Amino acid sequence: MTLSRFNALPTSEARSVLGEVCAAEAWAAAVLAGRPYENAAALHAASDAATAALDGPGLDAALAGHPPIGRPGDAASAREQSAVAGAPEALRARVRALTLAYQEKFGHVFLIRATGRSAADILAALEERLGATPAAERERSRTELAAINRLRLDRLFPDAASPAAPDVPPATVSTHVLDTSAGRPAPGVPVALAARSGEKAPWTVVGASATDTDGRCRDLPAPPPDTTEVRLEFTTAGHVPAASFFPEVSLVFRVTPGEHHHVPLLLSPYGYSAYRGS
């Protein structure tokens, strides 16, 4: 399937194609309404907006279209969850047990962009997110859904994807927040990741997470392959007492495909600093 052919398809056929990406009819209707699309960037923006606009029943429908981690029910999910399928049995069993606990607590499937993540990474995210509130997990699931939809659209329309570095994995990003006045990490700090391809391009929110008990944020989604700059937005108010003068901190930095970018944030009462770590 090419993007130009998709643009020309009758509505019913185009809707069927989008059903391979997301099970929510409202999402498909919104994406269809934006045709024709010139490139992947326009399609991604429409998908992100449609995902953000899903109401309660729409988000429920989208989540219900994804099988549990460790029990893929279709070819797309099996490909995305291949890291778990190839993991040692003890790890797979732990993932299965925790996904059941997650569903019992939150009432919906544990959703994560599994592509590009190891089984250990997925298990760590699952253990961390089991401690979240239902409202926070609801929005986290929406963020992961947006990232999955982007990846699936790129697989559907490879001609529209970025021509740069198809054999090079995307850049990855992590961070670590430290309260330097107290000499300890800052847990529970919400972190949002946005990306853009060029200094004049608009920002697109890719995903969000929060720092763990060690102040680290290791499970941010990978930005799109054509990303040149990333923005990390930290909501420090209410989470880092030392940062009362800075309720929000925004860091913008350049990224290189195939490289990992670890950018810690050091906070003090009246100042902050950041650097590229390892």
Side-chain angles (χ1 to χ4, degrees), residues 170-175 217-218 256-263 276-278:
T172 53
V173 177
S174 62
T175 188
C217 195
R218 320 170 201 252
T256 302
E259 294 186 8
H260 181 69
H261 303 74
H262 181 62
V263 182
R276 182 172 183 179
S278 61

Side-chain angles (χ1 to χ4, degrees), residues 48 113 117 140 143-144 146-147 150 170-175 189-197 202-210 217-225 227-235 249-253 255 259-263:
D48 290 348
R113 179 194 54 78
R117 286 189 168 114
R140 178 60 182 274
T143 296
E144 296 291 339
R150 278 172 164 251
T172 53
V173 177
S174 62
T175 188
V189 178
V191 184
L193 185 153
R196 67 182 179 185
S197 54
W203 288 103
T204 298
V205 175
V206 178
S209 186
C217 195
R218 320 170 201 252
D219 61 346
L220 289 167
T227 297
T228 59
E229 296 178 0
V230 158
R231 182 180 69 201
L232 292 180
E233 294 187 331
F234 302 82
T235 303
V249 174
S250 179
L251 303 179
V252 177
F253 50 92
V255 297
E259 294 186 8
H260 181 69
H261 303 74
H262 181 62
V263 182

Side-chain angles (χ1 to χ4, degrees), residues 35 44 65 78-79 116 137 156 224 239:
R35 290 192 299 170
H44 286 168
R79 179 172 54 246
E137 265 312 290
L156 265 180
H239 299 279

Side-chain angles (χ1 to χ4, degrees), residues 69 81-88 90-92 94-95 98 110 112 114 116-128 218-219:
I69 292 287
Q81 299 183 24
S82 59
V84 174
L91 194 154
R92 297 202 309 271
R94 176 69 173 162
V95 168
L98 291 188
F110 170 71
I112 187 170
R117 286 189 168 114
S118 69
D121 289 339
I122 292 171
L123 176 59
L126 181 51
E127 291 172 336
E128 178 188 347
R218 320 170 201 252
D219 61 346

